[in-house]
Amino acid sequence: MNYPPQHHQDNDINHMIEVIKTYPLATVISVDNNEPLITHLPLIYSNGKLIGHIDINNPHAQLLQNNTEVTLIFSGPECYISPSIFSSTQLPTWNYIKVHLKGNVQENPDKAALKQSLISMTEFLEAPDHKYILSTDNLRLDKYLDYILMFEIEITHWEGKFKLSQDKKPNDIIAAREELVRANQASVIQFLNKVF
């Protein structure tokens, strides 16, 4: 048996880039002395690379340089799929979109590049409304540049995991898609009402 099933794999790099752009918060995983270090950071895809920033006091910062290998996970929408939504007999399942990447990471020590990168990342994350603009003459930004490490990741391996009930009948695939949209909207509201 081949696992994971081929119909749950998406090898289209453009689809994976779309996940990265829409859900840029990555789970960044490195290994040091057989111990995993895990950090969650927004990463921006640009010119075939991923660009990120980390506080120099974060222990993970030491592993985000010197061509070190890193593993990344980007998470798209996900939800439980009840058999009740299908027109045919099914079992419960979980649908999700994930992108797993491997790459080599290199520090970029150029402070001017770091500053521009922070400005560009803010501009990207503020889209489409751009209610806030991080300006080049922001004194607070200048004050913190010495405490931020900028890094670039050259991607060496792409893997798209798009489990979206592709093995079902066409009308059940549509039902699963609609449930993914509905469940994500409803679950965010319910969760926030419980914790905040």
Side-chain angles (χ1 to χ4, degrees):
M1 179 169 131
N2 290 333
Y3 195 87
Q6 193 57 42
H7 57 265
H8 291 156
Q9 301 300 298
D10 190 330
N11 298 319
D12 188 325
I13 288 180
N14 291 319
H15 291 171
M16 291 184 264
I17 290 170
E18 198 58 42
V19 173
I20 293 167
K21 288 181 174 181
T22 306
Y23 301 93
L25 185 66
T27 300
V28 181
I29 306 165
S30 300
V31 178
D32 186 31
N33 295 322
N34 292 323
E35 286 290 323
L37 269 80
I38 302 168
T39 305
H40 306 282
L41 298 169
L43 300 178
I44 302 302
Y45 183 82
S46 177
N47 298 319
K49 293 185 177 183
L50 291 164
I51 312 296
H53 317 97
I54 190 169
D55 184 317
I56 62 169
N57 295 308
N58 185 323
H60 205 156
Q62 296 303 311
L63 297 176
L64 298 178
Q65 48 192 310
N66 302 325
N67 210 34
T68 305
E69 187 174 289
V70 65
T71 299
L72 309 162
I73 302 171
F74 290 88
S75 298
E78 60 179 276
C79 78
Y80 168 74
I81 300 292
S82 169
S84 66
I85 70 164
F86 293 131
S87 61
S88 57
T89 303
Q90 301 292 333
L91 291 171
T93 193
W94 196 275
N95 280 359
Y96 57 86
I97 295 174
K98 303 282 183 185
V99 173
H100 294 186
L101 302 177
K102 290 188 180 188
N104 296 313
V105 63
Q106 200 65 261
E107 175 187 5
N108 184 339
D110 184 337
K111 294 297 181 193
L114 168 61
K115 184 174 183 176
Q116 184 54 54
S117 178
L118 290 164
I119 291 168
S120 296
M121 179 180 275
T122 302
E123 182 179 332
F124 173 81
L125 296 172
E126 285 283 333
D129 298 330
H130 299 284
K131 293 179 180 175
Y132 175 81
I133 297 172
L134 184 57
S135 65
T136 56
D137 60 354
N138 185 306
L139 298 177
R140 185 175 179 140
L141 174 60
D142 289 335
K143 178 179 168 184
Y144 283 99
L145 291 177
D146 288 337
Y147 302 99
I148 301 171
L149 172 80
M150 176 182 171
F151 59 89
E152 298 177 357
I153 299 169
E154 183 174 336
I155 302 166
T156 58
H157 179 77
W158 299 77
E159 187 176 0
K161 299 176 177 290
F162 289 57
K163 185 177 178 292
L164 300 169
S165 298
Q166 297 97 321
D167 56 335
K168 311 291 186 248
K169 295 179 180 177
N171 59 329
D172 288 343
I173 293 172
I174 293 168
R177 177 189 169 109
E178 291 170 354
E179 180 61 10
L180 187 66
V181 172
R182 186 208 64 75
N184 275 271
Q185 292 172 340
S187 66
V188 168
I189 292 168
Q190 292 169 4
F191 172 74
L192 290 176
N193 287 341
K194 289 178 184 177
V195 301
F196 185 67

